[in-house]
Amino acid sequence: MGGFFALRTAPPPAGAERGDHRPLARLYAGEDPDDDAPLHARVDRVAARLGAPERRVGASVAHLGLAARLWSTALGPAALYGRFPALDPADLRWDPALTSPDDLWWSGTGTRPGTVAALREAVQEAHLVPLHAAFARDGRISPRLLWGNAGSALAGALRELTRWARAHDRPEAAERAAALAQGLFDHPDLTGTVRGPALRRTSCCLYYRCPSGGLCGDCVFDHAPGTGLEGRPPAP
């Protein structure tokens, strides 16, 4: 289905790709400044690569990429097989130095049933809530923006699953993915983060502010602010 759905289940090979995969549980705990250092470095790296005018722009883009990985690695197998990797933060290792999509290595063995409740507990509660706290420790960033990113990432995973299912004649997988996503969006933190049949987001990830940035496919704007075009009528 693509790199956002891929999940290592064995240690990365020795060499350039070996990297420094650390359990996400260490980042979430925030008990030691060293535990936050990988996230600081990731945000700095993304901001520098984008030429971001503010560090929080790099933080938003870095967060969006990791949120997309977390939703995809759970929603994909849940829709296709009815179960998904348990993804306990202690077993899910991340290397912030590697390029996007974020490289994840899962050292666990258990699976969970592909239900809305299990997905919410495994991804939203076990990962996104403490991840947002970690980004808040990293610097000033709006909780609304982070949950908007989370909603956009979930919608993006659903779009890719639907596209794949149609191309491979798996309509039942597309139906399950849609039902699961609908249930996940029925939560106060995610309700209203996207709207309409196209699942267009209702907040901005700030990517447009980068020198080479533009509008994302699900952007809340029809025209980038500050271009003089934002006063035009919305696109049909």
Side-chain angles (χ1 to χ4, degrees):
M1 293 185 192
F4 279 88
F5 293 84
L7 185 63
R8 293 185 187 273
T9 56
E17 291 188 0
R18 183 73 188 207
D20 182 18
H21 290 75
R22 299 186 180 191
L24 281 168
R26 285 184 57 184
L27 170 64
Y28 300 160
E31 297 173 351
D32 188 311
D34 289 342
D35 293 338
D36 285 332
L39 181 63
H40 295 329
R42 177 67 170 182
V43 171
D44 288 341
R45 187 174 296 107
V46 172
R49 187 171 70 240
L50 296 174
E54 293 181 72
R55 194 169 184 278
R56 67 189 181 111
V57 179
S60 174
V61 174
H63 170 266
L64 181 57
L66 186 52
R69 291 287 281 119
L70 292 167
W71 279 127
S72 299
T73 54
L75 186 64
L80 287 172
Y81 306 111
R83 300 192 70 84
F84 67 96
L87 301 180
D88 187 292
D91 298 327
L92 193 60
R93 300 167 182 265
W94 172 61
D95 184 353
L98 299 184
T99 58
S100 181
D102 296 73
D103 196 84
L104 297 178
W105 160 29
W106 180 56
S107 58
T109 57
T111 61
R112 303 190 64 172
T115 64
V116 170
L119 285 165
R120 177 172 291 126
E121 183 178 352
V123 179
Q124 182 174 342
E125 296 175 5
H127 284 281
L128 295 180
V129 170
L131 180 64
H132 291 187
F135 270 91
R137 292 194 303 271
D138 175 77
R140 183 174 62 89
I141 191 165
S142 164
R144 181 172 182 267
L145 184 154
L146 294 177
W147 283 113
N149 282 353
S152 176
L154 175 56
L158 174 60
R159 286 190 200 92
E160 290 303 311
L161 273 165
T162 302
R163 187 178 297 118
W164 183 93
R166 289 173 176 169
H168 292 81
D169 194 25
R170 294 288 303 274
E172 79 289 349
E175 291 172 3
R176 282 199 298 267
L180 290 170
Q182 182 178 5
L184 290 165
F185 276 119
D186 187 22
H187 184 279
D189 289 331
L190 293 170
T191 296
T193 56
V194 297
R195 59 181 170 82
L199 301 178
R200 188 171 177 178
R201 65 182 295 164
T202 57
S203 62
C204 179
C205 71
L206 305 178
Y207 175 65
Y208 80 91
R209 302 191 62 190
C210 299
S212 59
L215 299 185
C216 303
D218 65 343
C219 187
V220 63
F221 299 121
D222 289 299
H223 306 288
T227 61
L229 300 175
E230 59 269 29
R232 290 186 177 183

